[in-house]
Amino acid sequence: MKSHRLGVGGQAEIGYRALLTRSRWQPERLEHALAWSPDQGATVLAELRGEGLVMNSAVEAGAVRAIQPCLALPALAARRLSGGPMPSAAAVETFVSLHEQTTGRLDDACPLSDMDEVLAVVERLAARVRNEVVILAPLYDPRSYEFAEHIAEGVLRRGAGLRALWRTDVSAVDYAVWLGKRGHTPRATSNVPVRAVVVDGLVGVVLNEAGAGRVIRTENELRSLVALADGLWAQSVEVSQVPKGRPTRSRHELVLRMLAQGLTDDAIARRLGVSVRTVRGDVASAMVELDARSRFQAGVRAMQMGLL
């Protein structure tokens, strides 16, 4: 039975809520906490993985962690625009808001002890980006945020820029190709002296050699970090053999964005090269899926949910 709230099964929603209470869980501990059988636990985790709400821990073998709802739920809703049970816009907004209140403010008063905690913070930052995310990666760790497709996807879905700068000996060909196809070719330089991410020039996360980190907001630190990133970027070169492309968006997402801009059906159809009838069908579906009373409200609600 599907939940009408988040667009996943009722047991999956219970499991997701439980997973969010800790940085990571071993499956057997989660099963014990929720009084689930091993088969039930495996089924629920498989559903959550399939919906992009859960991933492997970056720290503990066999453990899993919940992807932050401010990033995971809009991504789920974006996928459902092309079909499937749509999460309730009001439920998603409430769920994310309550979780953010429970989790607390992102500041330097709370150190991040390991990569799972760093991932959670970077996911929250990526879900709020307005202009650009800059990533400095002096090493390759496939479990970390620097090479996490779901984080990059969240940034690009919001229409923000993404500058990924690696040290030249970093080997991440598959990710480079994936990113390049979305119009954001990573660059490389001989020396990247710090491991960090900066969002909109207003907040950053700096990591130490052990993979622990801290959030930075002070103007001096951020100014220095941004200046370093800009200088390294200027002397860097594109990662070789990466095909260039444009960011890919589904037609449904493009229609929603144009609705929010106030465009007519005729104007949207001309821009997308489809019939007016097709656009009207997409608009009608979006209004139903987003529980919107008007075309414009559908576009605005999609933006509020982080779909655009």
Side-chain angles (χ1 to χ4, degrees), residues 166-239:
W166 305 344
R167 200 169 64 188
T168 49
D169 58 353
V170 165
S171 178
V173 175
D174 290 344
Y175 182 73
V177 170
W178 179 89
L179 197 58
K181 287 179 178 179
R182 285 154 179 80
H184 293 265
T185 305
R187 297 179 69 90
T189 188
S190 60
N191 181 36
V192 179
V194 63
R195 188 178 185 188
V197 56
V198 182
V199 178
D200 292 334
L202 300 175
V203 59
V205 178
V206 177
L207 280 67
N208 61 26
E209 293 182 356
R214 63 186 181 91
V215 177
I216 60 170
R217 288 184 179 274
T218 62
E219 184 176 350
N220 288 340
E221 281 189 292
L222 285 169
R223 187 187 298 116
S224 296
L225 194 55
V226 169
L228 172 65
D230 289 345
L232 293 172
W233 188 264
Q235 67 185 34
S236 64
V237 296
E238 289 189 353
V239 173

Side-chain angles (χ1 to χ4, degrees), residues 123-145:
E123 286 166 357
R124 291 174 66 191
L125 293 175
R128 303 174 183 179
V129 63
R130 292 181 178 274
N131 299 312
E132 182 185 58
V133 171
V134 179
I135 292 175
L136 302 179
L139 54 85
Y140 176 61
D141 181 353
R143 304 166 301 171
S144 69
Y145 69 87

